[in-house]
Amino acid sequence: MALGKDYATQECSIARALEVVGERWTLLVVRDALYGVRRYNDFLVHLGIPRAVLAARLQTLTAEGILEKRRYQDSPPRDEYVLTDRGIALWPTLRSLGLWGREHFSETQLRYFRHAVCGTEVGPYGECAACGTVVPVTDVEMMPGPGLDPAPTNPVSRALLKPKRLLEPIETDSGKPTETDSVKPVETEPV
């Protein structure tokens, strides 16, 4: 029997959420958008995701109001994908899921998330123990941890080795040929 595509018989808000973000790769696309990845080719290179799958995930996330498609270049036309408030609201879920994964499946910390104002590590629900507040996503600074490869091959991973605030667009190596330069952009409407 084939696995269904929805949870129509479930009367549950978790099931409804999974219909939007429960597909394989979807939360990783949202994670990368939180990290500041915005361009199709950068998602493609960083995730190692098949083109058709990425196009489908971006289309769904845009249709559901989690991402907004914005034009950043007119000739040739190219778009970027930016998280909406609805997408940003997934941060506590991703933060908690990442901590759970680290506790149960990983031996080293890949990234630290700190309150940029005071430097305290952000708790599992986005809270700052030192300040006693929930930290706005724009005030969360991401820092590399000891588990990250210090010399990654792709430009997005290299850019993410530098401390940066969440949601700020990443800046990849400039002036050097990168893997994204050799990947033909697919900036048309996802299929």
Side-chain angles (χ1 to χ4, degrees):
M1 183 164 124
L3 183 62
K5 296 277 185 191
D6 63 28
Y7 303 97
T9 62
Q10 296 292 313
E11 293 182 21
C12 172
S13 57
I14 294 172
R16 297 296 165 261
L18 286 174
E19 288 180 356
V20 176
V21 298
E23 292 284 339
R24 182 180 172 142
W25 296 106
T26 300
L27 287 178
L28 295 179
V29 171
V30 174
R31 175 209 63 192
D32 274 13
L34 281 162
Y35 289 0
V37 176
R38 292 183 170 191
R39 296 183 178 174
Y40 181 93
N41 283 340
D42 289 339
F43 283 112
L44 191 68
V45 168
H46 189 240
L47 294 171
I49 185 173
R51 286 179 178 275
V53 174
L54 177 58
R57 296 306 175 267
L58 291 171
Q59 183 177 29
T60 297
L61 290 168
T62 302
E64 291 294 337
I66 293 168
L67 292 174
E68 179 183 323
K69 191 174 177 179
R70 292 184 189 162
R71 179 72 31 106
Y72 71 88
Q73 179 179 309
D74 288 322
S75 184
R78 294 199 175 155
D79 299 304
E80 63 183 5
Y81 297 87
V82 180
L83 282 169
T84 63
D85 289 342
R86 193 177 203 181
I88 292 168
L90 286 166
W91 162 242
T93 302
L94 289 171
R95 173 72 179 140
S96 294
L97 187 59
L99 288 172
W100 181 81
R102 184 174 78 204
E103 180 181 334
H104 296 286
F105 302 106
S106 180
E107 295 179 19
T108 61
Q109 188 160 358
L110 299 176
R111 300 185 194 289
Y112 294 100
F113 297 93
R114 300 181 185 220
H115 186 192
V117 173
C118 70
T120 302
E121 188 164 3
V122 175
Y125 306 105
E127 75 281 5
C128 175
C131 298
T133 62
V134 174
V135 179
V137 174
T138 54
D139 287 343
V140 175
E141 184 177 40
M142 181 174 64
M143 315 239 334
L148 283 180
D149 178 358
T153 58
N154 78 69
V156 175
S157 293
R158 284 194 301 272
L160 293 175
L161 285 175
K162 300 170 192 153
K164 68 174 292 300
R165 288 191 186 206
L166 294 182
L167 300 177
E168 287 182 352
I170 61 162
E171 293 183 28
T172 57
D173 305 328
S174 59
K176 297 181 195 174
T178 64
E179 289 181 40
T180 54
D181 295 333
S182 64
V183 176
K184 184 179 177 188
V186 176
E187 299 293 346
T188 58
E189 286 296 315
V191 287

